[in-house]
Amino acid sequence: MRRAKSLTDLIRDERGSASLEFITAGLILLVPLVYLVIALAALQGGSLAATGAARQAARVFVLAEDFDQAAARVHDAVAVSLADFGLSTETADVAIRCNAGAGEACLARDEIVTVTVRVSVPLPLVPDVLDLDSAARVPVEATAVQRVSRFWSGD
């Protein structure tokens, strides 16, 4: 006949504890890894959004007839490019530079125009309750350069 196990025998019996330890350790390691992948995907999306916005803004700027039309087209191009990646234009900052200075002088033949777009990408899964809106954002910047055509007829 079998004798009943004592309390010390039950404590020493480790059958089934390996699977429990594996599941616990797996979850402890898996959760941060999944968050890291999600965060890196969000940052990559923000980087692609900034790059596309800068490229399109530079292209539409150099093809405009005048400076007012160029500024409106740049705003629209940046808004569309960022909206494709789920980012708002409120988090973006656009800077347009050229060798001739600013304004109408940028739209001269053979002028080189540089457009820089800075976007603040929010980290995923950060609740609004913590009031970490500015701390839970990563700035991403992209620059694009275009030359105004030497056949440009705007002047």
Side-chain angles (χ1 to χ4, degrees), residues 54-76:
R55 184 180 304 134
Q56 291 302 321
R59 287 178 182 170
V60 299
F61 186 88
V62 299
L63 294 175
E65 297 294 325
D66 59 13
F67 185 74
D68 293 333
Q69 183 186 41
R73 286 184 177 181
V74 164
H75 180 268
D76 292 343

mmCIF file with all atom_site columns, all heavy atoms in Angstrom, residues 54-76:
data_model
loop_
_atom_site.group_PDB
_atom_site.id
_atom_site.type_symbol
_atom_site.label_atom_id
_atom_site.label_alt_id
_atom_site.label_comp_id
_atom_site.label_asym_id
_atom_site.label_entity_id
_atom_site.label_seq_id
_atom_site.pdbx_PDB_ins_code
_atom_site.Cartn_x
_atom_site.Cartn_y
_atom_site.Cartn_z
_atom_site.occupancy
_atom_site.B_iso_or_equiv
_atom_site.pdbx_formal_charge
_atom_site.auth_seq_id
_atom_site.auth_comp_id
_atom_site.auth_asym_id
_atom_site.auth_atom_id
_atom_site.pdbx_PDB_model_num
ATOM 1   N N   . ALA A 1 54 ? 8.543  65.631 -46.948 1.00 0.00 ? 54 ALA A N   1
ATOM 2   C CA  . ALA A 1 54 ? 9.597  66.549 -47.390 1.00 0.00 ? 54 ALA A CA  1
ATOM 3   C C   . ALA A 1 54 ? 9.807  66.451 -48.900 1.00 0.00 ? 54 ALA A C   1
ATOM 4   O O   . ALA A 1 54 ? 9.935  67.471 -49.588 1.00 0.00 ? 54 ALA A O   1
ATOM 5   C CB  . ALA A 1 54 ? 10.897 66.245 -46.652 1.00 0.00 ? 54 ALA A CB  1
ATOM 6   N N   . ARG A 1 55 ? 9.827  65.242 -49.416 1.00 0.00 ? 55 ARG A N   1
ATOM 7   C CA  . ARG A 1 55 ? 10.040 65.049 -50.853 1.00 0.00 ? 55 ARG A CA  1
ATOM 8   C C   . ARG A 1 55 ? 8.908  65.666 -51.669 1.00 0.00 ? 55 ARG A C   1
ATOM 9   O O   . ARG A 1 55 ? 9.139  66.388 -52.639 1.00 0.00 ? 55 ARG A O   1
ATOM 10  C CB  . ARG A 1 55 ? 10.169 63.561 -51.162 1.00 0.00 ? 55 ARG A CB  1
ATOM 11  C CG  . ARG A 1 55 ? 10.485 63.301 -52.622 1.00 0.00 ? 55 ARG A CG  1
ATOM 12  C CD  . ARG A 1 55 ? 10.608 61.833 -52.943 1.00 0.00 ? 55 ARG A CD  1
ATOM 13  N NE  . ARG A 1 55 ? 11.617 61.204 -52.094 1.00 0.00 ? 55 ARG A NE  1
ATOM 14  C CZ  . ARG A 1 55 ? 11.439 60.051 -51.475 1.00 0.00 ? 55 ARG A CZ  1
ATOM 15  N NH1 . ARG A 1 55 ? 10.304 59.403 -51.599 1.00 0.00 ? 55 ARG A NH1 1
ATOM 16  N NH2 . ARG A 1 55 ? 12.395 59.541 -50.731 1.00 0.00 ? 55 ARG A NH2 1
ATOM 17  N N   . GLN A 1 56 ? 7.668  65.387 -51.273 1.00 0.00 ? 56 GLN A N   1
ATOM 18  C CA  . GLN A 1 56 ? 6.534  65.927 -52.024 1.00 0.00 ? 56 GLN A CA  1
ATOM 19  C C   . GLN A 1 56 ? 6.438  67.445 -51.885 1.00 0.00 ? 56 GLN A C   1
ATOM 20  O O   . GLN A 1 56 ? 6.101  68.145 -52.847 1.00 0.00 ? 56 GLN A O   1
ATOM 21  C CB  . GLN A 1 56 ? 5.233  65.272 -51.565 1.00 0.00 ? 56 GLN A CB  1
ATOM 22  C CG  . GLN A 1 56 ? 5.115  63.825 -51.944 1.00 0.00 ? 56 GLN A CG  1
ATOM 23  C CD  . GLN A 1 56 ? 5.216  63.626 -53.457 1.00 0.00 ? 56 GLN A CD  1
ATOM 24  O OE1 . GLN A 1 56 ? 4.695  64.406 -54.242 1.00 0.00 ? 56 GLN A OE1 1
ATOM 25  N NE2 . GLN A 1 56 ? 5.910  62.574 -53.850 1.00 0.00 ? 56 GLN A NE2 1
ATOM 26  N N   . ALA A 1 57 ? 6.736  67.959 -50.707 1.00 0.00 ? 57 ALA A N   1
ATOM 27  C CA  . ALA A 1 57 ? 6.690  69.410 -50.504 1.00 0.00 ? 57 ALA A CA  1
ATOM 28  C C   . ALA A 1 57 ? 7.725  70.119 -51.368 1.00 0.00 ? 57 ALA A C   1
ATOM 29  O O   . ALA A 1 57 ? 7.439  71.166 -51.963 1.00 0.00 ? 57 ALA A O   1
ATOM 30  C CB  . ALA A 1 57 ? 6.909  69.734 -49.030 1.00 0.00 ? 57 ALA A CB  1
ATOM 31  N N   . ALA A 1 58 ? 8.916  69.554 -51.466 1.00 0.00 ? 58 ALA A N   1
ATOM 32  C CA  . ALA A 1 58 ? 9.947  70.163 -52.306 1.00 0.00 ? 58 ALA A CA  1
ATOM 33  C C   . ALA A 1 58 ? 9.545  70.122 -53.780 1.00 0.00 ? 58 ALA A C   1
ATOM 34  O O   . ALA A 1 58 ? 9.742  71.091 -54.523 1.00 0.00 ? 58 ALA A O   1
ATOM 35  C CB  . ALA A 1 58 ? 11.278 69.453 -52.095 1.00 0.00 ? 58 ALA A CB  1
ATOM 36  N N   . ARG A 1 59 ? 8.956  69.013 -54.200 1.00 0.00 ? 59 ARG A N   1
ATOM 37  C CA  . ARG A 1 59 ? 8.542  68.887 -55.602 1.00 0.00 ? 59 ARG A CA  1
ATOM 38  C C   . ARG A 1 59 ? 7.457  69.889 -55.962 1.00 0.00 ? 59 ARG A C   1
ATOM 39  O O   . ARG A 1 59 ? 7.520  70.529 -57.004 1.00 0.00 ? 59 ARG A O   1
ATOM 40  C CB  . ARG A 1 59 ? 8.049  67.469 -55.874 1.00 0.00 ? 59 ARG A CB  1
ATOM 41  C CG  . ARG A 1 59 ? 9.146  66.459 -55.939 1.00 0.00 ? 59 ARG A CG  1
ATOM 42  C CD  . ARG A 1 59 ? 8.575  65.084 -56.167 1.00 0.00 ? 59 ARG A CD  1
ATOM 43  N NE  . ARG A 1 59 ? 9.635  64.080 -56.191 1.00 0.00 ? 59 ARG A NE  1
ATOM 44  C CZ  . ARG A 1 59 ? 9.425  62.793 -56.191 1.00 0.00 ? 59 ARG A CZ  1
ATOM 45  N NH1 . ARG A 1 59 ? 8.183  62.326 -56.156 1.00 0.00 ? 59 ARG A NH1 1
ATOM 46  N NH2 . ARG A 1 59 ? 10.434 61.945 -56.217 1.00 0.00 ? 59 ARG A NH2 1
ATOM 47  N N   . VAL A 1 60 ? 6.433  69.993 -55.123 1.00 0.00 ? 60 VAL A N   1
ATOM 48  C CA  . VAL A 1 60 ? 5.347  70.907 -55.460 1.00 0.00 ? 60 VAL A CA  1
ATOM 49  C C   . VAL A 1 60 ? 5.777  72.363 -55.313 1.00 0.00 ? 60 VAL A C   1
ATOM 50  O O   . VAL A 1 60 ? 5.246  73.233 -56.001 1.00 0.00 ? 60 VAL A O   1
ATOM 51  C CB  . VAL A 1 60 ? 4.064  70.625 -54.639 1.00 0.00 ? 60 VAL A CB  1
ATOM 52  C CG1 . VAL A 1 60 ? 3.538  69.238 -54.910 1.00 0.00 ? 60 VAL A CG1 1
ATOM 53  C CG2 . VAL A 1 60 ? 4.274  70.863 -53.168 1.00 0.00 ? 60 VAL A CG2 1
ATOM 54  N N   . PHE A 1 61 ? 6.734  72.635 -54.455 1.00 0.00 ? 61 PHE A N   1
ATOM 55  C CA  . PHE A 1 61 ? 7.209  74.011 -54.291 1.00 0.00 ? 61 PHE A CA  1
ATOM 56  C C   . PHE A 1 61 ? 7.880  74.506 -55.560 1.00 0.00 ? 61 PHE A C   1
ATOM 57  O O   . PHE A 1 61 ? 7.594  75.608 -56.032 1.00 0.00 ? 61 PHE A O   1
ATOM 58  C CB  . PHE A 1 61 ? 8.177  74.109 -53.106 1.00 0.00 ? 61 PHE A CB  1
ATOM 59  C CG  . PHE A 1 61 ? 8.582  75.519 -52.793 1.00 0.00 ? 61 PHE A CG  1
ATOM 60  C CD1 . PHE A 1 61 ? 7.824  76.280 -51.926 1.00 0.00 ? 61 PHE A CD1 1
ATOM 61  C CD2 . PHE A 1 61 ? 9.708  76.082 -53.371 1.00 0.00 ? 61 PHE A CD2 1
ATOM 62  C CE1 . PHE A 1 61 ? 8.187  77.586 -51.645 1.00 0.00 ? 61 PHE A CE1 1
ATOM 63  C CE2 . PHE A 1 61 ? 10.075 77.380 -53.094 1.00 0.00 ? 61 PHE A CE2 1
ATOM 64  C CZ  . PHE A 1 61 ? 9.307  78.144 -52.224 1.00 0.00 ? 61 PHE A CZ  1
ATOM 65  N N   . VAL A 1 62 ? 8.771  73.710 -56.121 1.00 0.00 ? 62 VAL A N   1
ATOM 66  C CA  . VAL A 1 62 ? 9.514  74.172 -57.296 1.00 0.00 ? 62 VAL A CA  1
ATOM 67  C C   . VAL A 1 62 ? 8.654  74.192 -58.563 1.00 0.00 ? 62 VAL A C   1
ATOM 68  O O   . VAL A 1 62 ? 9.041  74.809 -59.557 1.00 0.00 ? 62 VAL A O   1
ATOM 69  C CB  . VAL A 1 62 ? 10.785 73.326 -57.545 1.00 0.00 ? 62 VAL A CB  1
ATOM 70  C CG1 . VAL A 1 62 ? 11.727 73.430 -56.356 1.00 0.00 ? 62 VAL A CG1 1
ATOM 71  C CG2 . VAL A 1 62 ? 10.451 71.888 -57.856 1.00 0.00 ? 62 VAL A CG2 1
ATOM 72  N N   . LEU A 1 63 ? 7.493  73.552 -58.552 1.00 0.00 ? 63 LEU A N   1
ATOM 73  C CA  . LEU A 1 63 ? 6.608  73.549 -59.721 1.00 0.00 ? 63 LEU A CA  1
ATOM 74  C C   . LEU A 1 63 ? 5.522  74.616 -59.665 1.00 0.00 ? 63 LEU A C   1
ATOM 75  O O   . LEU A 1 63 ? 4.738  74.754 -60.606 1.00 0.00 ? 63 LEU A O   1
ATOM 76  C CB  . LEU A 1 63 ? 5.950  72.164 -59.875 1.00 0.00 ? 63 LEU A CB  1
ATOM 77  C CG  . LEU A 1 63 ? 6.898  71.017 -60.208 1.00 0.00 ? 63 LEU A CG  1
ATOM 78  C CD1 . LEU A 1 63 ? 6.147  69.701 -60.219 1.00 0.00 ? 63 LEU A CD1 1
ATOM 79  C CD2 . LEU A 1 63 ? 7.586  71.264 -61.536 1.00 0.00 ? 63 LEU A CD2 1
ATOM 80  N N   . ALA A 1 64 ? 5.473  75.382 -58.589 1.00 0.00 ? 64 ALA A N   1
ATOM 81  C CA  . ALA A 1 64 ? 4.424  76.392 -58.424 1.00 0.00 ? 64 ALA A CA  1
ATOM 82  C C   . ALA A 1 64 ? 4.702  77.617 -59.289 1.00 0.00 ? 64 ALA A C   1
ATOM 83  O O   . ALA A 1 64 ? 5.836  77.897 -59.672 1.00 0.00 ? 64 ALA A O   1
ATOM 84  C CB  . ALA A 1 64 ? 4.323  76.795 -56.959 1.00 0.00 ? 64 ALA A CB  1
ATOM 85  N N   . GLU A 1 65 ? 3.622  78.363 -59.570 1.00 0.00 ? 65 GLU A N   1
ATOM 86  C CA  . GLU A 1 65 ? 3.727  79.577 -60.387 1.00 0.00 ? 65 GLU A CA  1
ATOM 87  C C   . GLU A 1 65 ? 4.219  80.780 -59.583 1.00 0.00 ? 65 GLU A C   1
ATOM 88  O O   . GLU A 1 65 ? 4.942  81.622 -60.100 1.00 0.00 ? 65 GLU A O   1
ATOM 89  C CB  . GLU A 1 65 ? 2.370  79.896 -61.007 1.00 0.00 ? 65 GLU A CB  1
ATOM 90  C CG  . GLU A 1 65 ? 1.874  78.827 -61.955 1.00 0.00 ? 65 GLU A CG  1
ATOM 91  C CD  . GLU A 1 65 ? 2.734  78.704 -63.200 1.00 0.00 ? 65 GLU A CD  1
ATOM 92  O OE1 . GLU A 1 65 ? 3.242  79.744 -63.677 1.00 0.00 ? 65 GLU A OE1 1
ATOM 93  O OE2 . GLU A 1 65 ? 2.917  77.577 -63.670 1.00 0.00 ? 65 GLU A OE2 1
ATOM 94  N N   . ASP A 1 66 ? 3.783  80.883 -58.318 1.00 0.00 ? 66 ASP A N   1
ATOM 95  C CA  . ASP A 1 66 ? 4.232  81.977 -57.463 1.00 0.00 ? 66 ASP A CA  1
ATOM 96  C C   . ASP A 1 66 ? 4.370  81.466 -56.024 1.00 0.00 ? 66 ASP A C   1
ATOM 97  O O   . ASP A 1 66 ? 4.033  80.330 -55.721 1.00 0.00 ? 66 ASP A O   1
ATOM 98  C CB  . ASP A 1 66 ? 3.290  83.181 -57.540 1.00 0.00 ? 66 ASP A CB  1
ATOM 99  C CG  . ASP A 1 66 ? 1.863  82.853 -57.132 1.00 0.00 ? 66 ASP A CG  1
ATOM 100 O OD1 . ASP A 1 66 ? 1.637  81.775 -56.565 1.00 0.00 ? 66 ASP A OD1 1
ATOM 101 O OD2 . ASP A 1 66 ? 0.973  83.685 -57.386 1.00 0.00 ? 66 ASP A OD2 1
ATOM 102 N N   . PHE A 1 67 ? 4.843  82.340 -55.152 1.00 0.00 ? 67 PHE A N   1
ATOM 103 C CA  . PHE A 1 67 ? 5.157  81.910 -53.795 1.00 0.00 ? 67 PHE A CA  1
ATOM 104 C C   . PHE A 1 67 ? 3.908  81.547 -52.999 1.00 0.00 ? 67 PHE A C   1
ATOM 105 O O   . PHE A 1 67 ? 3.919  80.596 -52.222 1.00 0.00 ? 67 PHE A O   1
ATOM 106 C CB  . PHE A 1 67 ? 5.954  82.993 -53.061 1.00 0.00 ? 67 PHE A CB  1
ATOM 107 C CG  . PHE A 1 67 ? 6.402  82.567 -51.702 1.00 0.00 ? 67 PHE A CG  1
ATOM 108 C CD1 . PHE A 1 67 ? 7.448  81.663 -51.543 1.00 0.00 ? 67 PHE A CD1 1
ATOM 109 C CD2 . PHE A 1 67 ? 5.760  83.033 -50.566 1.00 0.00 ? 67 PHE A CD2 1
ATOM 110 C CE1 . PHE A 1 67 ? 7.852  81.242 -50.291 1.00 0.00 ? 67 PHE A CE1 1
ATOM 111 C CE2 . PHE A 1 67 ? 6.159  82.615 -49.309 1.00 0.00 ? 67 PHE A CE2 1
ATOM 112 C CZ  . PHE A 1 67 ? 7.206  81.726 -49.180 1.00 0.00 ? 67 PHE A CZ  1
ATOM 113 N N   . ASP A 1 68 ? 2.822  82.309 -53.170 1.00 0.00 ? 68 ASP A N   1
ATOM 114 C CA  . ASP A 1 68 ? 1.591  81.995 -52.431 1.00 0.00 ? 68 ASP A CA  1
ATOM 115 C C   . ASP A 1 68 ? 1.048  80.626 -52.817 1.00 0.00 ? 68 ASP A C   1
ATOM 116 O O   . ASP A 1 68 ? 0.629  79.840 -51.961 1.00 0.00 ? 68 ASP A O   1
ATOM 117 C CB  . ASP A 1 68 ? 0.536  83.075 -52.677 1.00 0.00 ? 68 ASP A CB  1
ATOM 118 C CG  . ASP A 1 68 ? 0.938  84.414 -52.088 1.00 0.00 ? 68 ASP A CG  1
ATOM 119 O OD1 . ASP A 1 68 ? 1.704  84.411 -51.096 1.00 0.00 ? 68 ASP A OD1 1
ATOM 120 O OD2 . ASP A 1 68 ? 0.501  85.455 -52.619 1.00 0.00 ? 68 ASP A OD2 1
ATOM 121 N N   . GLN A 1 69 ? 1.067  80.333 -54.110 1.00 0.00 ? 69 GLN A N   1
ATOM 122 C CA  . GLN A 1 69 ? 0.619  79.031 -54.578 1.00 0.00 ? 69 GLN A CA  1
ATOM 123 C C   . GLN A 1 69 ? 1.553  77.933 -54.067 1.00 0.00 ? 69 GLN A C   1
ATOM 124 O O   . GLN A 1 69 ? 1.103  76.858 -53.671 1.00 0.00 ? 69 GLN A O   1
ATOM 125 C CB  . GLN A 1 69 ? 0.579  79.010 -56.109 1.00 0.00 ? 69 GLN A CB  1
ATOM 126 C CG  . GLN A 1 69 ? 0.056  77.711 -56.671 1.00 0.00 ? 69 GLN A CG  1
ATOM 127 C CD  . GLN A 1 69 ? 0.161  77.672 -58.177 1.00 0.00 ? 69 GLN A CD  1
ATOM 128 O OE1 . GLN A 1 69 ? 1.168  78.107 -58.743 1.00 0.00 ? 69 GLN A OE1 1
ATOM 129 N NE2 . GLN A 1 69 ? -0.863 77.157 -58.828 1.00 0.00 ? 69 GLN A NE2 1
ATOM 130 N N   . ALA A 1 70 ? 2.849  78.212 -54.031 1.00 0.00 ? 70 ALA A N   1
ATOM 131 C CA  . ALA A 1 70 ? 3.828  77.237 -53.542 1.00 0.00 ? 70 ALA A CA  1
ATOM 132 C C   . ALA A 1 70 ? 3.593  76.922 -52.070 1.00 0.00 ? 70 ALA A C   1
ATOM 133 O O   . ALA A 1 70 ? 3.628  75.757 -51.662 1.00 0.00 ? 70 ALA A O   1
ATOM 134 C CB  . ALA A 1 70 ? 5.241  77.765 -53.757 1.00 0.00 ? 70 ALA A CB  1
ATOM 135 N N   . ALA A 1 71 ? 3.338  77.953 -51.275 1.00 0.00 ? 71 ALA A N   1
ATOM 136 C CA  . ALA A 1 71 ? 3.102  77.734 -49.836 1.00 0.00 ? 71 ALA A CA  1
ATOM 137 C C   . ALA A 1 71 ? 1.840  76.910 -49.610 1.00 0.00 ? 71 ALA A C   1
ATOM 138 O O   . ALA A 1 71 ? 1.820  76.008 -48.760 1.00 0.00 ? 71 ALA A O   1
ATOM 139 C CB  . ALA A 1 71 ? 3.003  79.072 -49.118 1.00 0.00 ? 71 ALA A CB  1
ATOM 140 N N   . ALA A 1 72 ? 0.785  77.191 -50.369 1.00 0.00 ? 72 ALA A N   1
ATOM 141 C CA  . ALA A 1 72 ? -0.453 76.426 -50.224 1.00 0.00 ? 72 ALA A CA  1
ATOM 142 C C   . ALA A 1 72 ? -0.249 74.977 -50.649 1.00 0.00 ? 72 ALA A C   1
ATOM 143 O O   . ALA A 1 72 ? -0.739 74.050 -49.989 1.00 0.00 ? 72 ALA A O   1
ATOM 144 C CB  . ALA A 1 72 ? -1.558 77.069 -51.060 1.00 0.00 ? 72 ALA A CB  1
ATOM 145 N N   . ARG A 1 73 ? 0.489  74.772 -51.729 1.00 0.00 ? 73 ARG A N   1
ATOM 146 C CA  . ARG A 1 73 ? 0.748  73.406 -52.197 1.00 0.00 ? 73 ARG A CA  1
ATOM 147 C C   . ARG A 1 73 ? 1.612  72.631 -51.206 1.00 0.00 ? 73 ARG A C   1
ATOM 148 O O   . ARG A 1 73 ? 1.418  71.431 -51.009 1.00 0.00 ? 73 ARG A O   1
ATOM 149 C CB  . ARG A 1 73 ? 1.415  73.436 -53.563 1.00 0.00 ? 73 ARG A CB  1
ATOM 150 C CG  . ARG A 1 73 ? 0.487  73.792 -54.681 1.00 0.00 ? 73 ARG A CG  1
ATOM 151 C CD  . ARG A 1 73 ? 1.211  73.708 -56.006 1.00 0.00 ? 73 ARG A CD  1
ATOM 152 N NE  . ARG A 1 73 ? 0.322  73.979 -57.115 1.00 0.00 ? 73 ARG A NE  1
ATOM 153 C CZ  . ARG A 1 73 ? 0.707  73.943 -58.377 1.00 0.00 ? 73 ARG A CZ  1
ATOM 154 N NH1 . ARG A 1 73 ? 1.965  73.650 -58.684 1.00 0.00 ? 73 ARG A NH1 1
ATOM 155 N NH2 . ARG A 1 73 ? -0.152 74.202 -59.335 1.00 0.00 ? 73 ARG A NH2 1
ATOM 156 N N   . VAL A 1 74 ? 2.578  73.294 -50.613 1.00 0.00 ? 74 VAL A N   1
ATOM 157 C CA  . VAL A 1 74 ? 3.437  72.640 -49.616 1.00 0.00 ? 74 VAL A CA  1
ATOM 158 C C   . VAL A 1 74 ? 2.594  72.198 -48.426 1.00 0.00 ? 74 VAL A C   1
ATOM 159 O O   . VAL A 1 74 ? 2.731  71.071 -47.945 1.00 0.00 ? 74 VAL A O   1
ATOM 160 C CB  . VAL A 1 74 ? 4.590  73.573 -49.177 1.00 0.00 ? 74 VAL A CB  1
ATOM 161 C CG1 . VAL A 1 74 ? 5.230  73.084 -47.899 1.00 0.00 ? 74 VAL A CG1 1
ATOM 162 C CG2 . VAL A 1 74 ? 5.620  73.686 -50.281 1.00 0.00 ? 74 VAL A CG2 1
ATOM 163 N N   . HIS A 1 75 ? 1.728  73.074 -47.957 1.00 0.00 ? 75 HIS A N   1
ATOM 164 C CA  . HIS A 1 75 ? 0.868  72.725 -46.823 1.00 0.00 ? 75 HIS A CA  1
ATOM 165 C C   . HIS A 1 75 ? -0.002 71.512 -47.157 1.00 0.00 ? 75 HIS A C   1
ATOM 166 O O   . HIS A 1 75 ? -0.127 70.588 -46.353 1.00 0.00 ? 75 HIS A O   1
ATOM 167 C CB  . HIS A 1 75 ? -0.004 73.918 -46.441 1.00 0.00 ? 75 HIS A CB  1
ATOM 168 C CG  . HIS A 1 75 ? -0.905 73.637 -45.284 1.00 0.00 ? 75 HIS A CG  1
ATOM 169 N ND1 . HIS A 1 75 ? -2.182 73.161 -45.441 1.00 0.00 ? 75 HIS A ND1 1
ATOM 170 C CD2 . HIS A 1 75 ? -0.700 73.740 -43.947 1.00 0.00 ? 75 HIS A CD2 1
ATOM 171 C CE1 . HIS A 1 75 ? -2.734 72.979 -44.265 1.00 0.00 ? 75 HIS A CE1 1
ATOM 172 N NE2 . HIS A 1 75 ? -1.855 73.328 -43.332 1.00 0.00 ? 75 HIS A NE2 1
ATOM 173 N N   . ASP A 1 76 ? -0.596 71.510 -48.345 1.00 0.00 ? 76 ASP A N   1
ATOM 174 C CA  . ASP A 1 76 ? -1.453 70.393 -48.758 1.00 0.00 ? 76 ASP A CA  1
ATOM 175 C C   . ASP A 1 76 ? -0.654 69.097 -48.903 1.00 0.00 ? 76 ASP A C   1
ATOM 176 O O   . ASP A 1 76 ? -1.112 68.028 -48.490 1.00 0.00 ? 76 ASP A O   1
ATOM 177 C CB  . ASP A 1 76 ? -2.170 70.716 -50.066 1.00 0.00 ? 76 ASP A CB  1
ATOM 178 C CG  . ASP A 1 76 ? -3.195 71.831 -49.905 1.00 0.00 ? 76 ASP A CG  1
ATOM 179 O OD1 . ASP A 1 76 ? -3.576 72.125 -48.753 1.00 0.00 ? 76 ASP A OD1 1
ATOM 180 O OD2 . ASP A 1 76 ? -3.597 72.410 -50.936 1.00 0.00 ? 76 ASP A OD2 1
#
